[in-house]
Amino acid sequence: TTAAIHRRAIKAWRELEHDVQLEWSAIAKGVPSKQLPYDPSTHISGYNLFVSAYHGFAQLGDEHTPDPKPFTPFPQFSITLDDATAIEEDLLITFSTDITSHSGRPPVAPDLPALGPDRGIEHLHFVLKLQITHPSGGIRPGLMRSFLSMQTESPDRIQVLIPDYKNAWHLDLTEYQAHIRYFLIDSQTGYRSREQQISVRFEI
């Protein structure tokens, strides 16, 4: 569970050598907080950066004690709904992705795929927190479930597979709304980007 992972992250921090903790603190001075209000003059602590990286690796299925590595700002990114298809009891949702640099330009060149290795950002992975509801339903954060996206044959598309989706939210409809919070994880560092949010409707 997330709580158990957090306890292990705290334990791992306490077991670090003090010099390593100081390295984390030095790196964190250049990392803005992801909490509101977003004040560029403030930054997180080395402890918070370490714990965030620990959680990031855990979400990628690679839980371990992270090493202190320089923080590189994440590019701008967004997703849009392409398709939602029921596969027996499961739901497969496909999204188009768009990743650009802070200057508004693609990280390498405009004719290269968004998540392809030629971009040099194949280490970035989308995580989506979803809640599925009826078409006019509101967001209930406690009902959101986290999913690590799957890459498709098209480098600028991702998919999320939701097992037994009807029972997951106790809904059996022909039209749904999905409230989604999503972010990027860097698989080289465990660092996570700021969350973004969208709501989409789709028919099955």
Side-chain angles (χ1 to χ4, degrees):
T1 65
T2 300
I5 292 171
H6 192 67
R7 288 193 294 271
R8 292 194 291 271
I10 294 172
K11 181 176 182 292
W13 170 261
R14 291 172 176 168
E15 292 175 349
L16 292 179
E17 296 289 340
H18 183 61
D19 287 347
V20 178
Q21 292 180 341
L22 292 178
E23 283 188 63
W24 280 100
S25 296
I27 293 170
K29 290 180 180 178
V31 182
S33 173
K34 294 195 289 287
Q35 303 298 319
L36 291 171
Y38 301 132
D39 183 353
S41 67
T42 63
H43 61 82
I44 65 174
S45 68
Y47 164 79
N48 285 334
L49 183 61
F50 172 88
V51 170
S52 178
Y54 192 103
H55 276 272
F57 280 123
Q59 285 183 295
L60 293 173
D62 184 24
E63 182 179 340
H64 66 272
T65 299
D67 295 320
K69 295 182 179 179
F71 180 87
T72 300
F74 283 87
Q76 297 173 354
F77 60 95
S78 63
I79 62 174
T80 55
L81 176 68
D82 272 0
D83 181 59
T85 304
I87 304 176
E88 296 182 351
E89 303 302 319
D90 303 335
L91 179 64
L92 182 67
I93 308 180
T94 304
F95 298 90
S96 291
T97 64
D98 183 27
I99 298 182
T100 60
S101 68
H102 289 289
S103 67
R105 297 188 299 272
V108 177
D111 57 341
L112 294 178
L115 290 178
D118 292 332
R119 293 259 190 208
I121 55 172
E122 67 276 9
H123 55 285
L124 299 181
H125 302 270
F126 279 95
V127 174
L128 287 75
K129 300 177 182 178
L130 296 100
Q131 176 205 350
I132 293 179
T133 182
H134 56 83
S136 59
I139 298 176
R140 296 180 61 184
L143 296 181
M144 286 188 159
R145 300 189 175 200
S146 293
F147 299 90
L148 180 64
S149 69
M150 305 178 295
Q151 192 62 48
T152 69
E153 293 181 358
S154 175
D156 58 354
R157 283 180 173 80
I158 58 171
Q159 291 180 321
V160 171
L161 182 66
I162 304 174
D164 197 15
Y165 69 101
K166 293 179 181 178
N167 287 327
W169 288 277
H170 306 291
L171 291 171
D172 187 358
L173 307 170
T174 58
E175 184 179 3
Y176 295 90
Q177 180 169 225
H179 300 298
I180 305 168
R181 295 177 179 176
Y182 62 99
F183 57 91
L184 291 170
I185 295 181
D186 187 330
S187 64
Q188 296 178 344
T189 63
Y191 299 151
R192 299 178 289 178
S193 72
R194 186 177 295 170
E195 281 188 355
Q196 300 200 64
Q197 183 172 308
I198 59 170
S199 293
V200 297
R201 291 189 182 187
F202 56 89
E203 295 182 356
I204 301 297

